[in-house]
Amino acid sequence: MSEDGLRAAVAAGVIGADQAYSSLLRSIVEVARAIFNAQRSSIFLYDEEADELVFEAVAGEEEQGLVGSRLPSSTGIVGWTLVSRQPLVIEDLSQDPRHARDVAEQTGYVPKGLMSVPLLFEERALGVLQVLDRPQRPGFSLQEMELLGLFANQAAIALDLLQRSRRAKAALETGGGDIAVVARVAAALDELVDEDRGRALRLLEALEDVLTGK
Amino acid sequence: MAADAEPNERPLPAWSLPAGAMDRIRLELDWPGVTRDWALEGATGKGVRVCVLDSGVEKGHPKIGEIAGAVAVSIGEDGEPVVAADEEGDLCGHGTACAGVIRALAPECELFSARVLGAGFTGSGPILLAGLRWAVEQGFDVINMSLSTTKRQFADVLHDLADTAYFNRTILVASAHNMPVESYPWRFSSVISVGSHEEPDSLAFFYNPDPPVEFFARGVDVDLAWIGGGTIRATGNSFATPHMSGICALVRSKHPELTPFQLKSVLQLIADNVGGKEDNVGGKE
C-alpha cells in the first residue's frame, strides 16, 4: 500500500474515533457515579501545552456545560492528585474555604466530599478521576479505594486512546488539506450501510478510475 | 584516617574491617528486649528534625504550631530548579494535613516544610528531585514524602538520593501505591514504604512480610489539619505515611543513635502483628 493509501486507511479509523473514546470516558464516569451512588463524577485530562487540567468527561446531562473548562495543573486537590500520583478521599470538604471558593468559581457546585485518583498509564500521569458526594457512611473501606483504582485504570486506558486518536488526527490534518478530505470521505463511507454503501463504493471506484487513468 | 581514630569514634563510612579493628565498630547499644516501651515510652520527638516534602504547610495552624522553616522549590529563569523561602504556605491542604499528623504524634519535634507542588505539572519531576536533594542535604532526621513519580527517567536519581539519605542516617518515609503502576521512590529498599490499614489507632502499625510495601499505618478516616485553620476527615496512603514518620520521629528522639537499618529492625520488632504490644518481643530472655 502506498503512503497516501495507508494514510487514508488510518484516517478512516481515526476520524470519529475521538468521539467514540469521549463516549467511553463519559460512560466510565456515569458508571463510577452509579456504583458509588455519588452526585457527580468527572475526568480531567492534563493538557501538556497549556499546563492545565481540562474537564474531559462529566456524568449527568445537566453538567455537560463543564466539559472543556480548565483548572490549574498543580494546585488544589485535583492538582495535588495529578502531581503526587496518589489517590485520596476527603469526607467533609465544605470546611475548606479556599477549595469551596475556587471550585465554586469553576463549576458552580461545591462538594462536601470527594474521591480523587490519578489516571496513570505506563509512566505517564494523564489526568484525574473524581467522584463527588457519595453518601457519607461511618467507616470508609479500603475495598472502595481499590474499586476506585480499578475505575481509574480503565479511565486511564480510555484517556490514552483518546490522546492517541487526537494526535493521529492532528498529524493527518497537518499532513495536508487534501488527505484530510480523503479521511473525511473514508470516515463517511465507514458510516454507510447496505445499498447506500454499495452506491458510494461504486462512485468512488469510478472516481479512482478517472484519477488513475484506467 | 580511620586507623588514627579514637577507639570510641566510628568514622563513617567504614570501607573495610582490618584485623584487630573490632573496637571500631563495637556498638554500645544495649537492646535488652526491644519492646514498644523501650522504643516509644516517654518519647516526644524532641530533638528530631522532620521535613514534610509536599504542598507546603499553613503557618500558625492551631494543630501544628510553629514551623521551624519552610522553603518552596520552583523552576528559575534559567530553567533550573531553585529553592527559596516559602511565602505562600499550603496550596492544597495536603502538606498541612501531613504536618498535623506528625505534630500530633511527636509534639516536640521540629517541623520543616519543603513545597514541591504548585508551580505547574510541567517541571514537577525536576522540582520533586530538587526538593528531595535539598532535604537530604539538610540532614533531616526524617523526611515525609507522600508523593511518588512514575517517570523512569527520574528513578535513578531518586534511587541515589534515597541511598544517600540512608547512609547519612536520614529516614525517608514514602507512600506506597495501591494501584498497579511502577512508581518511585517507595519501591526502593532504602526507604520506609507505607500503605494503609483501617484501624482507628494512630500508633498502630503492621510489618508486611510480603514486600515491597513494608509497613501499614493508619490511613483510613483520619482527622486531619487542613488549610483555613480547620480540620477534615480523609483517607489515603498519603496520610498513612506521616503516621509512620511520626512514629519514626518518636523512636529517633529516644534512640538517636539508630541507623535507618536499625530503626527498620526496631519497627519490625514492635509492629502490632509481630506482637509488639507484648513485652520482650524482640529480645526475650
Side-chain angles (χ1 to χ4, degrees):
Chain A
M1 188 183 285
S2 69
E3 190 180 335
D4 281 356
L6 185 63
R7 275 189 170 189
V10 170
V14 166
I15 300 287
D18 61 342
Q19 198 172 348
Y21 296 135
S22 291
S23 299
L24 177 58
L25 288 174
R26 168 94 181 265
S27 163
I28 290 169
V29 290
E30 296 282 5
V31 175
R33 184 173 72 157
I35 291 277
F36 289 105
N37 197 17
Q39 294 297 312
R40 289 194 178 195
S41 179
S42 334
I43 285 174
F44 300 85
L45 169 69
Y46 174 61
D47 177 346
E48 200 169 331
E49 274 187 33
D51 197 12
E52 289 175 328
L53 282 159
V54 187
F55 270 97
E56 191 64 46
V58 187
E61 286 302 327
E62 65 276 22
E63 284 91 21
Q64 291 311 304
L66 285 174
V67 172
S69 54
R70 290 167 176 267
L71 293 172
S73 67
S74 70
T75 56
I77 291 161
V78 65
W80 185 90
T81 307
L82 182 76
V83 178
S84 72
R85 293 167 168 79
Q86 289 283 340
L88 83 170
V89 179
I90 297 179
E91 301 288 0
D92 43 8
L93 205 52
S94 54
Q95 292 185 37
D96 175 353
R98 189 188 307 177
H99 183 268
R101 187 188 62 227
D102 292 352
V103 171
E105 279 175 7
Q106 293 286 339
T107 69
Y109 178 83
V110 181
K112 287 193 182 69
L114 63 78
M115 309 166 86
S116 190
V117 58
L119 300 177
L120 307 172
F121 187 78
E122 295 172 342
E123 63 177 273
R124 289 171 297 136
L126 303 179
V128 175
L129 166 67
Q130 289 197 332
V131 178
L132 309 183
D133 286 335
R134 73 190 212 299
Q136 290 206 359
R137 288 184 295 275
F140 182 81
S141 80
L142 289 173
Q143 276 86 3
E144 283 181 278
M145 198 65 141
E146 283 188 21
L147 186 59
L148 187 66
L150 292 174
F151 270 106
N153 200 31
Q154 196 175 27
I157 293 167
L159 214 46
D160 178 62
L161 289 170
L162 177 69
Q163 283 188 318
R164 281 172 196 264
S165 154
R166 284 181 179 168
R167 277 198 299 270
K169 192 175 168 187
L172 282 168
E173 285 172 355
T174 55
D178 296 350
I179 208 72
V181 172
V182 176
R184 286 196 297 275
V185 170
L189 180 67
D190 205 39
E191 294 286 310
L192 297 175
V193 291
D194 303 333
E195 287 181 20
D196 287 345
R197 186 181 177 88
R199 278 197 292 271
L201 270 175
R202 283 195 295 281
L203 186 61
L204 284 171
E205 281 163 1
L207 178 63
E208 184 185 17
D209 289 346
V210 171
L211 293 175
T212 57
K214 282 182 182 173
Chain B
M1 283 178 61
D4 298 326
E6 292 297 316
N8 288 334
E9 287 182 25
R10 286 182 287 107
L12 294 173
W15 299 109
S16 61
L17 185 62
M22 198 62 74
D23 280 348
R24 280 176 44 201
I25 60 162
R26 176 160 289 121
L27 299 177
E28 301 305 323
L29 287 178
D30 179 18
W31 290 12
V34 176
T35 63
R36 279 223 156 203
D37 279 354
W38 179 87
L40 298 171
E41 182 61 32
T44 62
K46 190 171 187 177
V48 175
R49 299 162 73 237
V50 183
C51 181
V52 176
L53 205 67
D54 210 288
S55 58
V57 175
E58 182 169 279
K59 286 179 184 168
H61 194 290
K63 287 192 171 295
I64 298 169
E66 191 183 342
I67 296 293
V71 299
V73 189
S74 59
I75 299 293
E77 288 178 4
D78 61 355
E80 295 298 317
V82 287
V83 180
D86 184 6
E87 306 297 339
E88 291 184 86
D90 194 344
L91 299 180
C92 157
H94 195 278
T96 299
C98 290
V101 169
I102 295 166
R103 174 65 83 218
L105 287 168
E108 293 194 75
C109 75
E110 271 188 275
L111 270 172
F112 294 77
S113 165
R115 178 154 57 77
V116 292
L117 181 146
F121 184 67
T122 304
S124 59
I127 286 174
L128 178 67
L129 291 180
L132 181 58
R133 180 174 289 113
W134 176 84
V136 171
E137 287 170 356
Q138 301 306 305
F140 290 114
D141 297 289
V142 180
I143 298 172
N144 185 88
M145 204 169 160
S146 293
L147 310 160
S148 54
T149 179
T150 45
K151 290 277 185 191
R152 288 188 196 100
Q153 70 185 96
F154 301 129
D156 284 348
V157 179
L158 271 176
H159 208 157
D160 285 346
L161 286 170
D163 281 352
T164 302
Y166 183 86
F167 296 131
N168 286 346
R169 295 172 177 253
T170 293
I171 313 289
L172 182 55
V173 187
S175 290
H177 246 128
N178 55 1
M179 302 167 71
V181 291
E182 287 278 321
S183 59
Y184 320 96
W186 70 271
R187 289 181 67 89
F188 304 144
S189 55
S190 50
V191 313
I192 290 178
S193 57
V194 190
S196 300
H197 67 61
E198 294 180 327
E199 302 298 319
D201 182 351
S202 292
L203 277 171
F205 67 95
F206 302 92
Y207 169 69
N208 180 16
D210 188 19
V213 182
E214 285 186 314
F215 293 97
F216 299 114
R218 185 179 183 195
V220 175
D221 282 336
V222 188
D223 289 319
L224 299 157
W226 203 256
I227 47 177
T231 60
I232 58 156
R233 190 158 42 87
T235 292
N237 287 355
S238 59
F239 305 119
T241 305
H243 279 92
M244 215 61 214
S245 292
I247 291 165
C248 288
L250 289 176
V251 180
R252 257 292 170 79
S253 69
K254 202 173 169 189
H255 300 285
E257 72 282 2
L258 296 179
T259 64
F261 171 81
Q262 290 171 316
L263 180 66
K264 261 195 197 188
S265 304
V266 168
L267 291 174
Q268 189 261 144
L269 289 169
I270 66 171
D272 289 64
N273 57 324
V274 190
K277 283 184 173 169
E278 298 163 15
D279 283 345
N280 297 328
V281 171
K284 203 173 278 183
E285 294 183 18

